[in-house]
Each structure stands twice: as structure tokens, then as C-alpha cells.
DNA sequence: AAGCTTCATGTAATCCTTTTCAATGGCTTT
DNA sequence: AAAGCCATTGAAAAGGATTACATGAAGCTT
């Protein structure tokens, strides 16, 4: 049997209430406080968090539900969320949904059973639709994938704007046949597609969009197919980091040069982005800000459960590198 | 007030014990079981995990403590561990220690308070030493960083062997001045250093090792310094993924060609490893196997707490790419 | 000096389950 | 038909903390 608060109380010659108050910085005389602290040190007592949570009805736990922690954006996000959470004395439960609504449903049930204080969630498109009507027994902040401002708070990149920026950039370096490659599971992809359409239209460019599973392999396969046609594009925009890698692989397979034959650009800046090929042009997402803002929205929501839902959009930053350098006959060095 | 097991019992016209038995597949007549299940569905009841844990004394929780989830090896590891855990009805608490022993100590205390079933841990060197004497109130499986087989189970790469493989490979393509770059916080780096020393010695090669913080920036700085000397190495082995990236960056800065001027190789295979420069030669760690083995060791330990500690070593796989292609005057295509 | 407030402390109820133990009722056995 | 057994079921204890409420002492006011 482990040491409980009773043992500490007995040893210090006080009631359990006093021991509890020492932990919660309640009113305790310096003398008793010291006796209790000695007893804690002597016994090696550690409070039982399950008991504490049960009685206090505060789980001090937040859920984080993403498609796959291995996706760089989510990796970075989880790190920020955990830092912020631990800083305010909360724990994080991480769930990988693999873009499956079934798993999302299962994990939502788990979140309920854990009585989480709140949930930070990048939902699939399917769940996002259902969320519009349904209420959950805990506050939710959507990240990365927001949809229209509904009943839940959300914080997302300005995807429309960001994608338009990429299109304009490719246009500025002289590309006119720019295709877009988008994921088929997230609302993010939809927003980026719309931005792509708007920008190509406003520039009077042709547009052609492809939707595939959000993986390097699927992207590579699709691009190989697209580029096997006679009328080759001269620019590609990929809607995620992994898909961008797929595009690069396809270019290698096709022995096409970047940026001379095809300029390519995408999303998310990573340590290795400047080292792949001639350096990859990307929109950098402010992951740190996104994560912190999500936590802020969540805490605000806890304070004011009835306040209207907020949708926060953050802007991305274009980082131009060799993969979209103007063609000069010479492969440029990467640019920061 | 949320719905509790009492409400369900009342609605189904049974005792709370019966409801509990329905959840734990205890002996309940089909008739009552159905009534209870109807009541559960009607009320939307979800068991309270804190209460369950408190009473049953099983937290069904395992801790995972790593330096930084953003480090690719740990990202992959965490994904495997979580999958395995959820599969057997457990949940995971993830902690980032940032290589700080203070944070490790803090999180260890948290693990105690959570009454974790077990801990999977990549400890810093400092903690590893302390672990040799100290016991913890829950079983621990060390991953990635094991030290000598002590009182705790561990599963690690055969780092000695793996590094020797890299040295022999560089030697085979004609390199003789091979320097090693190692992290200064983990035992892994020590093992790799020893493998490096043994291999260079057995081949009659000179050896020179550098120890830096395990980051791309520190690695880049150190390499710039090393290569500013007159007698330039012709091969570099980096002890981690991030450090390998630092080496690549340094090469770019120095305008040295890979592999013509300097051959480079390192650890961990990632999606982008084949796309950086001419493709990076690496030792691929069997992350999946490592994670699953860690879980197996943990579950075995729970069944047999007194059994002697086990140290499992898994072998890495050499993946040769352009960064160590034999010099032919031509930059090779990446090879799988 | 009586009465009131304030503060530290203890007692006991409470949070929600699981689990032990006793009771019930239907069968089988002799 | 009495005894014994098995399978279900319910009542109540237990798990370890927090917290509402009661208590008592000390300090202050008038």
C-alpha cells in the first residue's frame, strides 16, 4: 500500500485537511507547515492525482488530437501546446487520428471519460461538418483546420491569402502553367484550393487542381501522371510539406530540373527545407503563435463559456529559395 | 452535475454494481445487460476514469520521456509507443526534457503522482548515472540511451557496431581522414564514439572526435571551425540527424562539394534524407522495432517484477546514398 | 468584561467507481 | 424433500484526496 495523505498527517500530528492545505497553499501556520513538510520529505509522499481529480472535479488535462504527430506541423504544434500546458500545471493527452473519423469518434469518447478541461483539435473534414451541429461536453479549439466560424473557437493560417501569395510569386518569376496539388482530407486543402483559384483567375492564368491523400507517395504518383501528358506545367504548388517532398521526388524521377524546368513551392518551413534540392520555397506557418493562440482561446473560453466563438487567422511568411529562383541559366544558391 | 453510474443504475432499475459489471464484462444476465446498455445509450453516460483509476489502483497510463519530440527519432518513437499503448487500452503521457536533468527530476515526480504503470525513457547522461543506484516506484525501460546493463531494462541500437559500419564504409570509398562529431548529452554519443575509435584504430586511420550540443547550429559551428584548419578532413560522421544537417549546412557555407571534397554520413533515415544534397548516407534505426520492443519489455516486467534486467540491442541498416558515393568526377544520383 | 471578528485547525461528507461479501433463487443430487 | 451448488444480484466498504462546516482561541471594539 502506498503512502497516503493519512500517513503524512499522522506522522506530522495534524489532520489530513492541514496536509491538503499545505499542498494548496491554504492557511496554515508556519509551524505546522514545517512539520508537515518534514513528514512529506520523510515519507516520500506523493499526492494521488486520480483522487485529487475525482474530488476536485478538475482534470487539469487537455486533449490534443491531430492526424499524425509525425507530420512536421503537428510535431511542432504538439511541442508548443505541451510547453504551454505544463507551464500552467496541465497535462496533455495526445491522439493520432490518421485522418479517420472513426478514430476521432473513439478518441472523443476517451476525452469525455478523462473529463478533459478542453480539446485542441485538427479535425478531418467529415468531423468538421458534424461539429457544426453537435455540441461537446468540453470546450474545443480547432487548429489548422477551421471551416467557417461556427460554434467553436479556431485558429488557422490565412490559407487563402498564403496560397495566393505563392501563385503570385510563381507568376512573378514568369510561370504561367501552375498546377495545384491538394490533400483530400482537410478543410485546409479546400481553403488553399480556393486561394489558388482566386489568384490564378485574377492573374488570368489557367488553373488545374489535383486532390490526393496527404502523403509523399500519393503526391509523387499524381505528379508523375500529370507530367506524363504532353502539355507540361512549369510550376507546382503543393498543399503540404509531405506532398512537396513527393513533388521533389517526382521531379528527380522525371529528370526535370528545378527551377529551370519546373518551379515548385509549398507549405511549412523545416530545418531541411533549405537543403533539399536548390532549397524549397515555402510559406512558413507561425506554429508557435498558432499553438499559443489556441491555448489562449481555450483559457478564455473556460473563463467565458457563453462568449461568442472566435476565429483567429494568422498570416504566413513567404520564404523564397532556389526552387523558385528566376531562370537565369544558373542554379542559384539558397536564399534566406 | 454529470451523469454517474448511479443515474444509469436507477434508470435501468438495477444496482450500480451491475452497471459496473456490464462495463467489465462480469457475470450479468443477458436481460439485465440489455436494460443497462439501453440506459447507457439513453443517458449518454461515460465512466469517470479518475474514479475508476482511484478505486482499481490501475492507472493504465505509461510515461514517455524524451529530450524533444521534434527530434525525428523521438517523433517516430512516440508514434509507435502511442499506437501500442492505445491498442492495449493504455494512454501515454509525453514529456520533453530538453536534455535537462532538472526537468527530468520534475517529470519523474509527476510520473509518481500519476501512478504510471511504467515509464519509457531516453535519459540524459547525468540521470543515467544516478539511475544505476536509485530505484523508482514504477518499472522503467530505457530507450535509445541504455548504458551498461544495470537494474533497468533497455533497448538500444547497436551504436558501436553501427558507427563502425559507417567508418568502414567511408574507408571503402577511399577516405582516410574521417572526423567524428558527437552530442555531449547522451550515452548514445559515447557508444558511437567508442565504435568510431575502434573502427578507425582497426583500420589504422587517424581519429579526431568533437563533442557539441546536439543541434544543427552547434554542429555547423564546430565543423566550420574544424574545416578552417589547413589539414582538411575528407570524411565526416555525425552522430545524429540534426547534427548531420548542420554538417551539410557547413559544407554549403564552405562551398565544398559532397562527396567529392568531403564524404558525409550520419544517423536516422527520414523522408527527406534522400533529397538533401546528393542524398544522405545514413544508418537507419529500426524505430518501430525499438518502440515495440520497449513496450514488450515493459509488459514483461509487469508480469515478472523480479526477473533480471534485460538489455536488447538492435542492429541498424546502412543506406548508401550520394553523400558517400565513390568519387568518379560525377555527382551520382541517389541510390536506395 | 461581554460580544464580535478573524484565523487556524479538525471532523466528516463527498467525488465516482470497483470490489468484497452476503443473499437469493433455481437446479441438481441423493 | 432436504441439502448442496452455482450463477446472479445488491448492499456497502474502500480507494485518497478536497472542502463545507464546526470549533476554539486570540485579538479587537465599546
Amino acid at each position: 500500500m502506498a503512502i497516503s495523505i493519512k500517513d503524512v498527517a499522522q506522522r506530522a500530528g495534524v489532520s489530513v485537511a492541514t496536509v491538503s492545505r499545505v499542498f494548496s497553499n491554504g492557511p496554515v501556520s508556519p509551524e505546522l507547515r514545517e512539520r508537515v513538510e518534514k513528514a512529506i520529505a520523510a515519507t516520500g509522499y506523493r499526492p494521488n492525482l486520480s483522487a485529487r481529480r475525482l474530488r476536485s472535479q478538475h482534470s487539469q488535462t487537455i486533449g490534443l488530437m491531430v492526424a499524425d504527430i509525425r507530420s512536421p506541423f503537428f510535431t511542432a504544434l504538439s511541442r508548443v501546446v505541451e510547453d504551454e500546458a505544463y507551464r500552467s500545471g496541465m497535462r496533455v493527452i495526445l491522439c493520432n487520428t490518421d485522418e479517420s473519423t472513426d478514430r476521432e469518434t473513439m478518441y472523443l469518447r476517451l476525452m469525455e471519460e478523462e473529463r478533459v478541461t478542453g480539446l485542441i483539435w485538427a479535425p478531418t473534414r467529415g468531423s468538421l461538418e458534424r461539429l457544426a451541429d453537435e455540441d461537446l461536453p468540453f470546450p474545443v479549439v480547432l487548429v489548422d483546420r477551421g471551416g467557417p466560424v461556427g460554434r467553436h473557437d479556431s485558429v488557422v493560417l490565412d490559407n487563402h491569402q498564403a496560397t495566393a501569395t505563392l501563385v503570385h510569386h510563381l507568376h512573378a518569376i514568369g510561370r504561367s502553367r501552375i498546377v495545384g496539388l491538394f490533400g483530400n482530407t482537410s478543410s485546409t486543402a479546400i481553403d488553399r484550393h480556393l486561394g489558388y483559384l482566386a489568384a490564378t483567375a485574377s492573374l488570368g492564368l489557367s488553373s488545374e487542381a489535383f486532390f490526393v491523400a496527404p502523403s509523399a507517395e500519393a503526391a509523387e504518383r499524381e505528379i508523375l501522371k500529370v507530367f506524363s501528358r504532353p502539355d507540361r506545367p512549369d510550376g507546382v504548388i503543393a498543399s503540404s510539406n509531405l506532398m512537396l517532398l513527393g513533388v521533389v521526388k517526382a521531379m528527380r524521377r522525371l529528370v526535370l530540373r528545378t527551377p529551370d524546368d519546373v518551379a515548385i513551392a509549398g507549405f511549412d518551413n523545416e530545418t531541411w527545407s533549405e537543403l533539399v534540392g536548390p532549397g524549397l520555397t515555402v510559406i512558413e506557418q507561425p506554429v508557435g503563435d498558432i499553438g499559443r493562440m489556441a491555448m489562449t482561446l481555450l483559457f478564455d473560453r473556460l473563463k467565458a463559456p457563453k462568449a461568442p466563438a472566435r476565429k483567429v487567422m494568422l498570416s504566413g511568411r513567404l520564404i523564397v529559395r532556389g526552387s523558385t529562383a528566376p531562370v537565369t541559366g544558373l542554379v542559384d544558391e539558397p536564399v534566406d
Side-chain angles (χ1 to χ4, degrees), chain A residues 232-248:
Chain A
R232 223 172 54 202
D234 56 9
V236 177
I237 289 173
S239 170
S240 84
N241 207 303
L242 288 174
M243 291 167 63
L244 184 60
L245 284 180
V247 174
V248 175

Side-chain angles (χ1 to χ4, degrees), chain A residues 17-282:
Chain A
T18 301
V19 179
S20 173
R21 279 190 268 260
V22 167
F23 273 95
S24 57
N25 275 318
V28 179
S29 69
E31 185 208 358
L32 283 203
R33 183 178 295 272
E34 197 188 317
R35 271 192 4 230
V36 170
E37 268 159 8
K38 270 210 184 101
I40 290 169
T43 54
Y45 166 70
R46 296 272 173 267
N48 182 318
L49 283 183
S50 292
R52 175 177 290 182
R53 291 192 180 117
L54 171 60
R55 170 62 229 222
S56 70
Q57 302 286 72
H58 293 306
S59 69
Q60 302 285 75
T61 300
I62 73 167
L64 175 62
M65 224 160 115
V66 299
D68 187 343
I69 181 72
R70 287 171 300 190
S71 194
F73 175 80
F74 292 135
T75 311
L77 180 73
S78 93
R79 182 61 214 259
V80 177
V81 168
E82 300 222 324
D83 279 358
E84 291 294 315
Y86 281 117
R87 190 201 309 285
S88 30
M90 304 216 146
R91 329 258 160 277
V92 176
I93 299 181
L94 177 64
C95 302
N96 297 289
T97 67
D98 285 328
E99 308 279 9
S100 142
T101 51
D102 284 352
R103 293 189 65 154
E104 287 182 313
T105 307
M106 184 193 88
Y107 283 130
L108 281 180
R109 189 155 48 221
L110 174 65
M111 298 292 114
E112 280 193 64
E113 298 185 353
E114 291 277 4
R115 304 290 192 270
V116 292
T117 307
L119 173 65
I120 293 182
W121 183 14
T124 61
R125 238 150 65 192
S127 292
L128 192 55
E129 278 164 27
R130 221 176 315 155
L131 263 178
D133 314 319
E134 221 169 306
D135 243 343
L136 287 169
F138 40 75
V140 175
V141 176
L142 305 177
V143 283
D144 187 46
R145 309 162 174 194
V149 57
R151 69 176 63 199
H152 299 290
D153 296 312
S154 62
V155 42
V156 294
L157 186 74
D158 186 343
N159 286 300
H160 194 286
Q161 170 65 40
T163 319
T165 301
L166 286 180
V167 172
H168 278 100
H169 171 60
L170 288 189
H171 179 252
I173 62 163
R175 307 306 163 115
S176 55
R177 295 194 34 73
I178 306 165
V179 300
L181 189 59
F182 305 95
N184 60 8
T185 56
S186 71
S187 69
T188 304
I190 295 185
D191 294 341
R192 291 179 185 174
H193 178 225
L194 291 177
Y196 164 81
L197 286 182
T200 47
S202 86
L203 290 168
L205 299 177
S206 69
S207 74
E208 197 170 15
F210 303 92
F211 294 86
V212 300
S215 71
E217 293 69 32
E220 181 178 357
R221 245 176 290 131
E222 188 71 16
I223 287 294
L224 287 176
K225 211 160 62 187
V226 172
F227 276 70
S228 68
R229 299 178 327 197
D231 51 342
R232 223 172 54 202
D234 56 9
V236 177
I237 289 173
S239 170
S240 84
N241 207 303
L242 288 174
M243 291 167 63
L244 184 60
L245 284 180
V247 174
V248 175
K249 285 193 192 182
M251 293 301 133
R252 298 245 170 151
R253 286 272 287 272
L254 295 163
V255 199
L256 289 174
R257 286 173 315 159
T258 307
D260 300 47
D261 298 324
V262 185
I264 65 183
F267 283 82
D268 298 324
N269 190 36
E270 299 294 321
T271 327
W272 40 267
S273 298
E274 65 172 285
L275 301 176
V276 168
L280 299 175
T281 291
V282 292

